[in-house]
Amino acid sequence: MTTLHRSTCPHDCPDACGLLAEVEEGRVVAVRGDPDHPYSRGTLCPKVNHYERTVNHPGRLTHPLVRAGPKGEGTFRRVSWEEAIDLVAGRWRAIAAGAGAEAILPYSYAGTMGLVQRNAGHALFHRLGASRLARTICSPAKSAGFQAVLGATPGPDPSLVERASLVVLWGVNAAATNVHFLGLVKAARRAGAPVWLLDTYRTATAAAADRVFLVRPGSDGALALGLLHLLVREGLADERFLAAEALGWEALKERILPDHGPARTEALTGLDEAAQLDLARGLATSPAPFLRIGEGLSRYGNGSMNVRAIVALAAAAGVLARPGGACYGGSTTGDAFDLERFTRPDLQPRPTRVVNMVRLGEALTTLDDPPIRALCVYAANPAAAAPDQGAVRRGLAREDLFTVVHERFVTDTARFADVLLPATASLEHPDLYRSYGHYFVQRARAAAAPPGEARSNWDLFRALARALGFDEPLFGLTTDQVIDLLLEGPSPWRDRLDRAALDAGRAVPLAVPPGPRWRTPSGRIELRNDALAEPLPRWLPSHADAGAHPLRLQTGPSLYSLNSTFTEREDLDRPRGPLRVRLSPADAAARGLSSGDRAVAWNELGELRLPVEVTGDVPAGIAVVEGVHPDRAGERPGNVNLLTSRRLTDEAGGSTFYDNRIDVRRDG
Ligand code: SF4
């Protein structure tokens, strides 16, 4: 007998799609899109179509394991859960008694987006007094850039794009990372709205665009300032709106914009004056323009300033003034749930050391006072996905580092584990999901039995809390009770929440709380923000604007994996294709390379051996490597993150994955 279960895609993707799982005798036999989900409307991306192949994959971990060979070799022997928990609790207790609990570091990110399983370790590590992890690997600089200008103003409804008169996709490869939003964009295009794409190379999203503007990596802020200059020169700025709603327009006009004429903008961005004018006029005169800002342009040394300048452009062009106009960076539901009821920072004995996850390699290899002696990894795969990969792997290979990994598969990180614990997949545990790409929230129940002895993140940390003697009532709660705890805390976002529909598993809308139009300290759009070290948006160079190597490395997303997830799926290997470097015909010819040749991509951080693809989609001066590929047997370990640095963004300590230089030479 087949039963149908509603659930949510748990992956780090703004779409947070609704799933329907067909279950027979406790086993998921098929997964499809839920036609009743108000945003994803019954479709899924190629990664999650046939999600049952992930859930039932023969490579799933089923029993606790402990290391039985050299570090990193991936040789383990089976133990019971009781032995594994006792071993971990005992080692942590000994390390805390010797070096101090700050010698223990949790490392987790968005391997699952469920509010319970994603945040499952926080309370335990706070109670232990462990080092805290600054979870900055994605796009905190983007948030900082938006907040500098718009404070806590909620983002618009993304479905507004369907009625736009012009869609500008600025630095977003939606075909890979936001497919349902791209569906709405295509609907707008069918209704007559031109779609313009700004990016550093022709991504898969270019196929959905009427016009593609290619800009130099990291020059987005310079382009925004150049367009602001043209708005002033052409009399296109919305002066009445700015006088009524914004602070600092006169200062920006007088002190910053005169230096950003078209010639300098072309020199910095590569876009000529005619293209600059088209962009400025389009944004300023189209009746209902929808400007979508992506994450990638914030992953540079000037990332926050790039975003800040683009949001200032949206204000000055009147995009924020016109009904139907929108500047969208994501949905902003941060206040909808009081997560601290669950993560319990108050359990810390004192505010403990903070380690930036972007600098894990440095932390594992150089940090002192105390050195990190124990690492606990869950919902993350730093050996593949963290920058400065050489240092990360040298750190993970330390014999004196005690590493616990909780995973579904033997990932590149799991091979370095001293204790490797089997984790449930999302269809095997309950959770509560919100989205960073729409305003619906969904409660999912477990649909299927886990394989073997796999446990959810929360059940793991509850067991460890018991073994460590922590008796706070929180650690006695089940996952469903934690979800209820999160739903009980007051929030105006949930005042009109349909709790019965939520508890029945349906996606239900959060309501943006009423409040002022601009939720900034001044109540106005803050083009000038005196609380910041840089009160006005201005041009900042990116890290790699200077550097010895001739090619700017762009590490784009793949359509068939999500960071390092889905790389276990052999059926996705073929469409994803092998790890490869994509070069322009000019750069390939200059190096005597043709498609299919083996090459070495290298810089001061490392070397990566991989085949070449020569393509006109990549401009000269750029090398593109898409996807976070896993190690392959018989090949040298490592992926593109051997070449990405641990340098940080200008604000918020974010990653700078797109801000590196390399060179490429023929292999051998
Ligand atoms: S990865 Fe994104 S687009 Fe694909 S099913 Fe999950 S939420 Fe939807």
Side-chain angles (χ1 to χ4, degrees):
M1 177 169 151
T2 305
T3 52
L4 265 188
H5 296 257
R6 281 208 161 83
S7 193
T8 311
C9 175
H11 291 285
D12 184 2
C13 169
D15 295 22
C17 295
L19 309 181
L20 283 180
E22 289 180 25
V23 177
E24 288 175 7
E25 295 176 3
R27 179 181 163 87
V28 179
V29 295
V31 175
R32 51 191 154 92
D34 179 356
D36 293 336
H37 191 280
Y39 186 71
S40 57
R41 303 177 194 171
T43 61
L44 303 173
C45 68
K47 302 179 284 281
V48 178
N49 277 324
H50 296 296
Y51 198 49
E52 71 280 1
R53 293 177 185 168
T54 292
V55 176
N56 300 323
H57 194 283
R60 287 283 304 275
L61 289 163
T62 52
H63 299 282
L65 304 167
V66 296
R67 179 160 69 96
K71 274 262 182 177
E73 186 185 78
T75 309
F76 300 99
R77 67 181 168 84
R78 182 173 161 182
V79 295
S80 69
W81 264 107
E82 290 68 29
E83 286 173 273
I85 293 287
D86 284 352
L87 174 61
V88 174
R91 287 295 294 269
W92 286 0
R93 236 189 251 114
I95 288 168
E102 283 179 320
I104 301 168
L105 178 70
Y107 189 100
S108 70
Y109 198 63
T112 173
M113 294 295 286
L115 293 181
V116 179
Q117 309 303 346
R118 180 179 182 180
N119 297 291
H122 291 49
L124 175 89
F125 289 111
H126 285 146
R127 176 69 176 77
L128 254 177
S131 287
R132 287 172 290 164
L133 188 73
R135 291 174 169 83
T136 53
I137 205 161
C138 186
S139 52
K142 178 181 174 183
S143 303
F146 261 94
Q147 283 163 14
V149 183
L150 294 177
T153 304
D157 179 348
S159 63
L160 261 183
V161 75
E162 276 186 298
R163 300 191 293 279
S165 57
L166 167 69
V167 181
V168 178
L169 303 174
W170 195 322
V172 57
N173 184 359
T177 62
N178 203 181
V179 292
H180 293 87
F181 178 78
L182 189 62
L184 301 175
V185 170
K186 288 175 179 172
R189 192 179 183 207
R190 284 194 296 275
V195 176
W196 294 353
L197 174 67
L198 286 83
D199 217 318
T200 56
Y201 66 99
R202 286 184 72 89
T203 64
T205 304
D210 297 285
R211 195 162 171 192
V212 179
F213 300 83
L214 294 184
V215 300
R216 297 213 172 100
S219 70
D220 306 86
L223 179 58
L225 293 170
L227 300 186
L228 280 158
H229 176 104
L230 287 177
L231 292 181
V232 175
R233 192 188 83 181
E234 301 290 309
L236 291 168
D238 192 335
E239 298 285 351
R240 191 183 305 177
F241 173 73
L242 291 164
E245 303 288 345
L247 282 181
W249 173 236
E250 294 304 321
L252 184 63
K253 243 185 345 188
E254 287 164 18
R255 288 187 225 154
I256 303 293
L257 300 186
D259 291 340
H260 288 274
R264 185 176 184 215
T265 303
E266 181 172 353
L268 290 171
T269 69
L271 274 191
D272 65 20
E273 182 170 350
Q276 295 171 38
L277 263 174
D278 287 348
L279 279 167
R281 286 189 181 127
L283 288 169
T285 63
S286 188
F290 193 105
L291 170 56
R292 166 78 162 95
I293 304 177
E295 269 72 32
L297 57 87
S298 74
R299 294 186 188 127
Y300 290 90
N302 57 1
S304 178
M305 196 61 97
N306 286 340
V307 174
R308 195 172 161 194
I310 298 169
V311 179
L313 169 67
V319 172
L320 300 179
R322 275 164 270 160
C327 175
Y328 180 77
S331 59
T332 46
T333 59
D335 298 336
F337 300 95
D338 179 4
L339 277 178
E340 291 194 356
R341 292 166 72 90
F342 179 43
T343 61
R344 299 293 302 274
D346 60 295
L347 291 179
Q348 290 174 95
R350 60 182 172 78
T352 57
R353 176 173 72 181
V354 176
V355 174
N356 188 324
M357 71 191 306
V358 175
R359 298 200 146 160
L360 178 66
E362 178 186 52
L364 292 179
T365 53
T366 68
L367 205 59
D368 219 332
D369 198 25
I372 295 168
R373 300 284 313 283
L375 182 71
C376 179
V377 181
Y378 60 101
N381 182 10
D388 194 13
Q389 188 171 93
V392 170
R393 290 180 181 224
R394 281 196 298 281
L396 290 171
R398 277 175 41 204
E399 276 296 334
D400 64 338
L401 180 74
F402 177 69
T403 300
V404 178
V405 177
H406 189 222
E407 253 300 348
R408 298 172 308 160
F409 297 99
V410 183
T411 61
D412 294 342
T413 305
R415 273 190 287 277
F416 288 93
D418 293 281
V419 178
L420 178 55
L421 302 169
T424 44
S426 63
L427 294 174
E428 298 153 0
H429 58 234
D431 218 326
L432 180 65
Y433 296 90
R434 68 174 171 201
S435 161
Y436 59 96
H438 57 67
Y439 286 98
F440 297 95
V441 60
Q442 190 168 9
R443 180 176 193 161
R445 313 270 177 188
E453 299 178 286
R455 287 188 186 177
S456 73
N457 293 359
W458 178 235
D459 285 343
L460 163 66
F461 289 112
R462 291 170 69 207
L464 283 167
R466 270 196 306 278
L468 288 161
F470 298 159
D471 57 6
E472 284 74 11
L474 175 71
F475 296 120
L477 300 184
T478 64
T479 302
D480 276 315
Q481 288 169 327
V482 174
I483 293 171
D484 290 336
L485 180 79
L486 292 171
L487 288 166
E488 279 158 18
S491 167
W493 286 88
R494 289 183 280 107
D495 281 350
R496 286 179 280 135
L497 192 75
D498 184 342
R499 181 67 192 266
L502 182 78
D503 287 346
R506 293 186 176 276
V508 296
L510 296 165
V512 175
R517 186 176 185 190
W518 313 115
R519 300 183 195 181
T520 58
S522 66
R524 302 174 82 185
I525 297 168
E526 296 190 339
L527 301 179
R528 189 189 75 226
N529 187 330
D530 292 326
L532 299 175
E534 298 276 3
L536 290 167
R538 71 173 182 88
W539 164 237
L540 286 182
S542 65
H543 292 312
D545 275 353
H549 307 298
L551 300 170
R552 299 283 301 238
L553 173 64
Q554 296 287 278
T555 59
S558 160
L559 272 63
Y560 299 95
S561 58
L562 205 167
N563 292 319
S564 64
T565 52
F566 299 101
T567 53
E568 75 285 352
R569 284 268 300 278
E570 296 81 0
D571 59 315
L572 296 175
D573 272 354
R574 181 185 289 267
R576 186 168 47 239
L579 174 65
R580 61 197 183 279
V581 60
R582 306 175 74 205
L583 294 175
S584 71
D587 286 320
R591 291 161 177 78
L593 292 166
S594 305
S595 284
D597 287 349
R598 296 286 304 181
V600 180
W602 63 278
N603 63 15
E604 62 285 354
L605 295 168
E607 288 190 351
L608 184 61
R609 288 176 156 72
L610 69 185
V612 172
E613 178 189 336
V614 182
T615 169
D617 290 343
V618 174
I622 290 178
V624 174
V625 180
E626 291 181 336
V628 176
H629 291 249
D631 292 354
R632 296 280 185 208
E635 293 182 16
R636 281 197 201 194
N639 62 30
V640 69
N641 285 318
L642 283 170
L643 308 175
T644 58
S645 86
R646 63 177 180 240
R647 291 180 299 209
L648 302 178
T649 50
D650 48 338
E651 297 282 343
S655 61
T656 59
F657 283 107
Y658 298 168
D659 201 359
N660 298 281
R661 282 183 175 271
I662 64 167
D663 204 348
V664 176
R665 65 170 189 266
R666 178 179 287 278
D667 191 3

